[in-house]
Amino acid sequence: MPVPFLRHACQNWSVPAKLDNANTETAFRTCPLCEAGCGLELTLDASRSKVVRTRGDQEDVFSAGFLCPKGTTLGHLHEDPDWLRGPMLKVDGEFREATWDEAFGYINDRMPPLVESNGPDCVAVYMGNPSAHSLAPMFLNRTLLKAVGTKNRFSASTVDQRPKEISAALMFGSVAVPVPDLNRTDYILMLGANPYASNGSLCTAPDFPGRLERIQERGGKVVVVDPRLSETAKKADQHLAIRPGTDAHLLAAIASTLLAEGLADPSNVADHCAGLEELPALLGPFTAQSVAKVVGIPAELIRQVARDLAAAPTACVYGRIGTCTQEFGTLASWLVDVVNILSGNLDKEGGAMFAKGATGQPSTKGKPGSGRGFTMGRANSRVSGLPEAFGEFPVTALPEEIEAQGEGQVRALITVAGNPVSSNPNSLRLDAALASLDFMVSIDPYINETTRHADVILPPPSPLQKSHYDLALLNFAVHNVANYSPPVLGLEPDQLSEGTIMLRLASIFLGAGPDSDTAATDDAIAAMMLGSAVQNPTANVAGRDVEELLELLRPSTGVERLLDILLRTGPYGDGFGSNPEGLSLAVLEANPHGVDLGPLLPGRIPDLLRTPSGKIEIAPELIAKDVERLAKSLARDPEESLVLIGRRHIRSNNSWMHNLRVLTKGRNRCTLQIHPTDAKHAGLTDGKMATVTSRVGSVSLDVEVTEGIRPGVVSIPHGFGQNMEGVRLRIASDYKGVNTNVLTDEYLRDELSGNIALNGVPVSVSAG
Ligand SMILES: Nc1nc2c(c(=O)[nH]1)N[C@H]1C(S)=C(S)[C@@H](COP(=O)(O)OP(=O)(O)OC[C@H]3O[C@@H](n4cnc5c(=O)[nH]c(N)nc54)[C@H](O)[C@@H]3O)O[C@H]1N2
Ligand SMILES: Nc1nc2c(c(=O)[nH]1)N[C@H]1C(S)=C(S)[C@@H](COP(=O)(O)OP(=O)(O)OC[C@H]3O[C@@H](n4cnc5c(=O)[nH]c(N)nc54)[C@H](O)[C@@H]3O)O[C@H]1N2
Ligand code: SF4
Ligand SMILES: [Mo]
């Protein structure tokens, strides 16, 4: 049954097609392309190999028919002639097709000797964004990383959400990120997010825009903080055009206004909060008056937002990429939750709440109410000494780790679902560094800016050929659901599953050779996962026998078996019989539109806390120290230079979907947005070219003069610029776009997390 709060078929971007219904077949499938996880209804033709129509699944328990233009493209991706069908081997600088045995044989000849001579740290691994949307990397990344044994682990997380993960883990003891209760809130303050384009992030909400509109329909208020008049800001009740990189200042001033004006009422969680008494002194320097010039918003407006937040019956603050990828990313992320707590809205209906995903999270495992908490900096990167967090170093360290000679130098790279030459800062430096590697392997379907440097490319099957479950993202959902999709199409005889590819690669590092039997590793992983469940005294399988449970799972194998284990031992699980009404993969298979597990529940605190104190640490030491850096920045002159920010478009998905004509057609979307005053000052004309220059690089692109951006700020979307030599993306390479990360600066980062500051990069512009 569709959930009642959703409007049906909010938008229908279906591919028009005349269908001979007698000969078609319908499949239901969660869209894996972004975090919204919309349910799709796919119609296959008589041959059962071609998608002839894609619509939103009206009966999906979460998306109820909603989809965006990207959701219609799974069939196009499957048929994209540039999507590699088999491995590619680089011989004498040229790619040629190879068999899987050849490809793994070649890796086996090259990798182990490198590791033997230089140690495992000579291999770096980079995991990209689609690995969060695909079951095999979600389950097996750790197996691969452990097999390689390197400390040089990198991922797209440090050009993205790492600051939020760190602030949540410091406060709550694990990555339990509160999400805005969009379905019930009366007031949302949204910073650095544009869900009309992105469909939301760290907040899983199909039809995020529709949910915002319903806040307004029920008399609530949507307030957007963004240097641009984004699509979301246009629809908002109030738009605050903040100066980039100053969200922490703004939020600190809102928090201190709540405290100073006696509006703070954290009573619903105060008993479970440590450090509340430290806040007035910590945030004291950030009054509405003292930050106004830096943030570029009048003091009276800042006070008004604080008062509105406090007065609303329920309210929530939500910050996303704009608040993370900036100089004070961790502080801004922390302050989002500080304001949620001070305004009395954390863990409350209509406020900022915690999802409870069906596959379990650290906050639902182990002893309720306390844990080991979170530590970072257990290792430091070799060259710049950047701190590890969650077992990874910030990606800004990758180029120098490749370039700087000496013990521990990175000489080889494995990329899994990542395109760092497009997505990482100072991309031309990284590009040159990759060209200097001794060996590189990419698990990736395309020859793009990054993988053109690989010696071997191992392509996964298309999304239609994979099963799907949003293992991570449903832990950040605005309504608890579980939804599994089996593969729509089978593998071709010469294709390997992404899981098999990952396990065969891992086996090479484990010394088992290029053609080892992955079934044994697959069994071992399942046994290990069950082993940790039965040893957990609070699990629903505590004390059970692993062999018995493995037997109950037969004949299932692979990622489906691992998913079944998590579901059955998870918070709603059937416990392998102890809770017969509970969830298992079989239950999800019988419910192709998903299972509705109910609205988010309040009162999750203190049980979900995993801090050693068993309290919310509202003023963690690392953060309190970083507030000094924020205070110092109040003295800066904010008008020094033009600054660059990014943006997204609904028809684009990071760097890798520009090869589909159906999405790229229409006007050029990779333009330099600039305010008329700045354009005039620099002599720029709408529709003509401009050159943008930063400390590290320079690009030339079309100018789009618009009132919809703050003076002093320019914007270029990321993910474009596939026209590099050696890229084999016929349509994307023809697109008129540039890579904005040629301009972003790897040394401009959030000091606490090491995360890159992609927003607020000083640039200059000139005509031509
Ligand atoms: N300037 C600027 N830069 C940014 C951002 C920004 O806002 N501004 N945003 C940042 C953010 S939030 C992110 S998440 C990163 C993304 O950074 P990355 O993850 O490095 O890059 P993507 O563009 O997502 O590229 C994904 C890669 O995965 C491959 N791929 C697609 N599907 C699959 C699959 O099923 N399996 C495998 N193995 N590979 C697959 C694609 O071919 C592509 O090579 O970019 C960041 N970079
Ligand atoms: N269509 C589409 N959807 C996507 C993606 C995509 O590439 N295309 N990528 C996916 C990924 S990987 C992610 S992480 C999410 C991201 O999802 P969102 O966080 O919603 O990202 P954006 O749509 O880039 O919106 C960020 C907004 O922040 C603003 N901004 C820039 N700098 C600042 C600042 O300093 N302060 C404030 N307050 N605002 C600022 C920008 O103008 C922009 O409007 O989107 C996901 N969904
Ligand atoms: S919003 Fe995201 S999940 Fe939904 S159809 Fe579009 S790309 Fe797919
Ligand atoms: Mo992202």
Side-chain angles (χ1 to χ4, degrees):
M1 280 291 291
V3 269
F5 51 78
L6 277 175
R7 192 168 67 217
H8 283 234
C10 313
Q11 291 184 36
N12 199 338
W13 302 93
S14 59
V15 177
K18 265 206 173 130
L19 294 180
D20 166 9
N21 287 333
N23 267 322
T24 58
E25 193 174 290
T26 304
F28 297 98
R29 170 69 160 91
T30 305
C31 176
L33 298 174
C34 89
E35 296 179 40
C38 302
L40 305 177
E41 181 195 308
L42 302 162
T43 309
L44 301 173
D45 73 355
S47 72
R48 306 288 185 265
S49 62
K50 192 174 163 61
V51 174
V52 286
R53 187 175 67 188
T54 305
R55 298 197 294 196
D57 174 7
Q58 301 286 334
E59 288 181 58
D60 186 279
V61 294
F62 205 8
S63 61
F66 177 83
L67 85 174
C68 86
K70 293 185 297 302
T72 63
T73 62
L74 295 197
H76 299 265
L77 277 175
H78 182 72
E79 283 160 31
D80 182 355
D82 291 329
W83 186 289
L84 302 172
R85 313 283 142 175
M88 300 298 280
L89 250 183
K90 201 182 272 157
V91 181
D92 298 329
E94 291 289 326
F95 279 118
R96 71 160 174 84
E97 290 175 12
T99 64
W100 289 100
D101 285 345
E102 267 181 295
F104 285 112
Y106 192 55
I107 299 169
N108 192 57
D109 289 345
R110 301 288 303 275
M111 278 293 198
L114 261 177
V115 172
E116 200 147 298
S117 335
N118 302 292
D121 292 339
C122 81
V123 185
V125 183
Y126 176 91
M127 306 282 184
N129 170 275
S131 57
H133 301 266
S134 182
L135 278 174
M138 282 305 290
F139 277 121
L140 303 175
N141 271 353
R142 196 177 297 178
T143 305
L144 177 62
L145 287 166
K146 271 179 113 173
V148 177
T150 179
K151 69 170 189 180
N152 284 313
R153 301 167 171 195
F154 302 89
S155 82
S157 294
T158 49
V159 283
D160 191 350
Q161 80 288 354
R162 183 54 32 92
K164 186 73 201 181
E165 291 168 331
I166 290 177
S167 77
L170 288 170
M171 293 176 86
F172 307 115
S174 77
V175 183
V177 175
V179 296
D181 187 12
L182 296 178
N183 300 330
R184 290 173 289 196
T185 195
D186 298 293
Y187 180 103
I188 181 167
L189 174 66
M190 181 165 3
L191 308 100
N194 183 16
Y196 276 77
S198 70
N199 280 297
S201 176
L202 282 184
C203 175
T204 304
D207 193 16
F208 199 133
R211 290 172 204 262
L212 290 177
E213 283 158 26
R214 283 186 292 279
I215 296 175
Q216 295 169 316
E217 284 162 17
R218 57 178 182 262
K221 193 167 177 187
V222 175
V223 182
V224 171
V225 179
D226 194 311
R228 291 187 313 123
L229 182 66
S230 66
E231 293 85 340
T232 310
K234 274 184 200 150
K235 299 274 186 163
D237 298 284
Q238 188 172 13
H239 170 221
L240 305 176
I242 193 170
R243 180 169 286 114
T246 64
D247 297 80
H249 305 79
L250 173 68
L251 288 164
I254 291 174
S256 78
T257 304
L258 291 175
L259 289 166
E261 298 193 359
L263 299 172
D265 178 16
S267 53
N268 70 319
V269 292
D271 286 350
H272 309 294
C273 245
L276 266 172
E277 67 291 349
E278 291 174 43
L279 290 183
L282 208 52
L283 302 176
F286 307 94
T287 61
Q289 198 60 46
S290 74
V291 305
K293 190 162 173 232
V294 173
V295 302
I297 299 169
E300 203 37 50
L301 265 183
I302 299 173
R303 287 189 206 104
Q304 172 244 312
V305 170
R307 289 170 196 152
D308 286 356
L309 250 169
T314 64
C316 50
V317 187
Y318 165 67
R320 211 21 303 261
I321 194 94
T323 57
C324 282
T325 51
Q326 57 154 289
E327 204 186 338
F328 299 102
T330 312
L331 290 183
S333 301
W334 164 69
L335 284 159
V336 163
D337 291 329
V338 168
V339 176
N340 278 323
I341 291 171
L342 290 182
S343 61
N345 284 300
L346 185 73
D347 197 26
K348 184 178 118 180
E349 280 180 17
M353 303 186 76
F354 297 96
K356 193 189 262 189
T359 49
Q361 313 151 249
S363 62
T364 58
K365 289 181 180 158
K367 193 169 147 260
S370 72
R372 272 187 303 185
F374 165 74
T375 21
M376 61 182 285
R378 292 167 298 181
N380 293 88
S381 67
R382 179 181 64 110
V383 180
S384 284
L386 297 184
E388 157 279 345
F390 302 100
E392 290 173 5
F393 293 128
V395 283
T396 53
L398 181 56
E400 63 191 21
E401 292 297 329
I402 298 172
E403 292 159 3
Q405 292 182 355
E407 211 184 311
Q409 184 186 3
V410 168
R411 298 308 315 146
L413 175 69
I414 299 171
T415 65
V416 181
N419 187 6
V421 171
S422 173
S423 63
N424 285 12
N426 196 353
S427 4
L428 292 186
R429 177 176 176 190
L430 180 62
D431 188 56
L434 297 195
S436 76
L437 287 168
D438 290 338
F439 199 62
M440 179 170 156
V441 177
S442 292
I443 302 183
D444 203 287
Y446 285 123
I447 303 180
N448 61 21
E449 303 92 306
T450 297
T451 60
R452 72 200 171 109
H453 292 294
D455 294 281
V456 184
I457 305 179
L458 306 168
S462 88
L464 289 178
Q465 297 170 300
K466 296 183 190 183
S467 54
H468 188 79
Y469 182 92
D470 276 314
L471 213 49
L473 308 175
L474 289 174
N475 295 329
F476 308 109
V478 297
H479 188 91
N480 290 318
V481 297
N483 204 336
Y484 168 77
S485 322
V488 174
L489 303 175
L491 295 182
E492 301 292 328
D494 55 354
Q495 281 185 303
L496 291 187
S497 74
E498 198 164 30
T500 305
I501 296 171
M502 296 191 71
L503 290 182
R504 278 183 74 170
L505 185 57
S507 301
I508 289 174
F509 286 92
L510 293 170
D515 46 14
S516 68
D517 175 14
T518 54
T521 325
D522 185 41
D523 286 342
I525 296 169
M528 213 164 61
M529 205 182 257
L530 285 169
S532 69
V534 299
Q535 277 163 29
N536 171 5
T538 60
N540 61 12
V541 289
R544 298 270 292 268
D545 177 44
V546 170
E547 284 305 319
E548 177 222 336
L549 303 184
L550 275 175
E551 199 53 48
L552 290 172
L553 286 160
R554 266 182 240 291
S556 174
T557 57
V559 292
E560 284 77 12
R561 174 167 59 175
L562 302 179
L563 175 61
D564 202 12
I565 293 172
L566 289 190
L567 287 168
R568 299 176 83 167
T569 59
Y572 312 85
D574 77 354
F576 288 87
S578 63
N579 172 25
E581 301 297 302
L583 280 190
S584 63
L585 191 58
V587 171
L588 297 194
E589 279 170 324
N591 289 277
H593 309 291
V595 173
D596 186 340
L597 300 168
L600 305 190
L601 293 178
R604 298 285 308 284
I605 286 175
D607 278 7
L608 72 56
L609 298 174
R610 292 295 179 271
T611 48
S613 61
K615 304 267 184 196
I616 300 170
E617 293 293 342
I618 200 168
E621 216 179 302
L622 275 177
I623 298 240
K625 203 162 164 288
D626 205 35
V627 173
E628 291 166 24
R629 190 169 61 95
L630 189 71
K632 277 195 202 123
S633 73
L634 283 174
R636 286 186 195 166
D637 175 6
E639 307 287 350
E640 262 170 9
S641 149
L642 268 186
V643 289
L644 172 71
I645 62 168
R647 68 177 188 270
R648 282 172 165 75
H649 192 277
I650 188 85
R651 288 180 169 271
S652 179
N653 193 24
N654 294 335
S655 73
W656 68 276
M657 290 191 68
H658 302 139
N659 211 41
L660 303 181
R661 180 105 51 208
V662 64
L663 291 180
T664 55
K665 65 186 181 199
R667 65 175 179 82
N668 177 20
R669 296 185 192 105
C670 186
T671 55
L672 175 78
Q673 291 186 340
I674 186 164
H675 191 269
T677 319
D678 295 320
K680 194 166 169 220
H681 189 246
L684 304 188
T685 315
D686 188 71
K688 295 272 168 35
M689 297 287 280
T691 298
V692 186
T693 306
S694 73
R695 182 192 73 84
V696 303
S698 184
V699 296
S700 297
L701 75 169
D702 285 354
V703 174
E704 181 186 342
V705 178
T706 168
E707 298 270 355
I709 192 160
R710 200 192 144 84
V713 183
V714 293
S715 164
I716 306 177
H718 74 289
F720 291 91
Q722 273 78 48
N723 51 353
M724 293 178 105
E725 203 186 320
V727 168
R728 278 200 218 163
L729 294 163
R730 274 162 271 192
I731 292 166
S733 296
D734 274 349
Y735 197 80
K736 196 176 176 191
V738 296
N739 179 359
T740 189
N741 285 319
V742 167
L743 300 169
T744 53
D745 186 335
E746 71 277 38
Y747 295 118
L748 203 66
R749 48 196 171 211
D750 169 33
E751 256 171 50
L752 201 166
S753 62
N755 201 85
I756 185 66
L758 297 166
N759 294 311
V761 180
V763 289
S764 59
V765 295
S766 59

